[in-house]
Amino acid sequence: MPKLTIDNQEIEFKPGQTIIEAARQAAIDIPHFCWHPALSVSGNCRICLVEVEKMPKLVIACSTPAAEGMVVHTKSEKTVHAQNAVMEFLLINHPLDCPICDEAGECKLQDYAYKYSVGTSRYDEQKNHKDKRVSLGPNVMFDGERCISCSRCIRYCAEVVGEPQLTFVQRGEHVTIETFPGKELDNPYSMNVIEICPVGALTSKEFRFKARVWDMSFTETVCPGCARGCNTRMGVRNNEVLRIEPRENLDVNQYWLCDYGRLETIKNLTDKELRFSSPMLRTDSSNELISVDWDEAVSHALSELKKVNASEILFVASPFSTLEDNYALKRFAKEVFDSENICYIPNINENFGDEMLKKSDMTPNSNGLKILGINAFTGETVEKISNGSYKVVVCMNDDVSRLPGANEWLGKISSIIDITSMKNNTSNHSKVIFPLSTYAEVNGTFVNFQNKVQRIRPAVTTLEQERLPGEFSMSRLDKFGSHNDRWTHGARFNARPGWKIIRQLAKVFGTHFEFETSEEVFMELSNKVDGMNGYDYDTVGNEGVVIGTKPLVTA
């Protein structure tokens, strides 16, 4: 491979790469605002100017092709002087909004002002004022004064989404960004402009002014919105999920996340009105739900299940739950009842899927159920439940009312044992309810449509929290807050992972499941699935692993 030298370090590069791409590949940082690896080169910001020997002037690293034998200096006197000048120019009209700006703490302009600026300004004139708090669409707010005209958002809409909804207007000293007349920034991926904006010009209406990023904890997880399983980062403060944003994974979602995944998958996670916060029993006399402890709920479930024959019990697994939970449910059905009456309910929406990221299968783990040998319900399943052949339903993290004809037979089932997080039509008819931890509260794995196994991790805590070594992130406020601080009283629900609830049910039937942690469940099921033998959470890693492949173990 050809080589060039950057700051006395000889590095290899691929033909066609630019200087900034070659440097990035070698972990050499060249400052940049307008360049993005997924967008075309615009060369607007000029902060990436570098000195190249035998070239008469400084060149921008984002558009200059790397060449064999090229010698580049990113810290020479000329380069540093140019960086200082560019930063001074960019900061001339930039408002001093840092104390109220949502981007504060993760702003490139802030970082570069400390790293590449002289720290003083020679500009004494009045700053150029532009419109603030401009609504570009249903989810994005624009502040014209903060914009540095890098054009990232414009290129993103045109090149990645294929909907050129933004453009520069009034080019010159009054240049700003607008949508086309009569249009809004309302494409299904509009909120990605918030991440790629290097300053605080584009902000989320939903997250705006909710928290300072340095007061939040961030956990790497996976979006449960559809079968793609986009890699995400979940931001939490006071035990409440405040936002999720995309995490780079070039094999799955590249750098992006759809607006549905951002907004809908974190709704109601800590809603005290919708969440079950303790086990519940339905009384025979008043038909009302009463709160009980775990042992009493387990005892009642035991009596309900013993009233009927094993062939009269239907187990409903969940494509919304982890591999670990579904494996435990299948093992419970097989080992305790010698039953194969287990199925799941697909959730296919052809109007949801598109050619970019969104899949029509709006569940994160339907592929995981298939590799566990759990199939979708059939017409025979519906017929048996309709004619009363199934008298007891054990449902985990789903709503059996999604089955055809549910309105006719749902109230006629003798008993429903519901393992669920939220209230739904099934819980309205359930005899026993076990509160289930949400995907934001558990360790576990999903299998996406590519057969890639991916990790989810707990970002918020329940009363009984499983914490694997190094797996739980806490914000500064949550970690050091005291009992009399108002930010330490976030909701903590009395909920448990599905596999732990099922293990407790199996125990009262005299069957002992050996696993004690979610990773032990995963390792046990992996040894029973072709292509996953020997997998553990380290094998899955941060970017996932396709079933049938295994990365080399390195010391």
Side-chain angles (χ1 to χ4, degrees), residues 20 26 60 83 229 299 352 419:
I20 200 170
I60 50 175
Q83 290 168 346
S299 175
F352 179 79
I419 303 171

Side-chain angles (χ1 to χ4, degrees), residues 486-502:
R486 68 178 184 274
W487 58 79
T488 60
H489 300 289
R492 294 177 67 191
F493 294 92
N494 185 14
R496 295 177 180 176
W499 63 265
K500 186 173 285 190
I501 296 170
I502 293 161

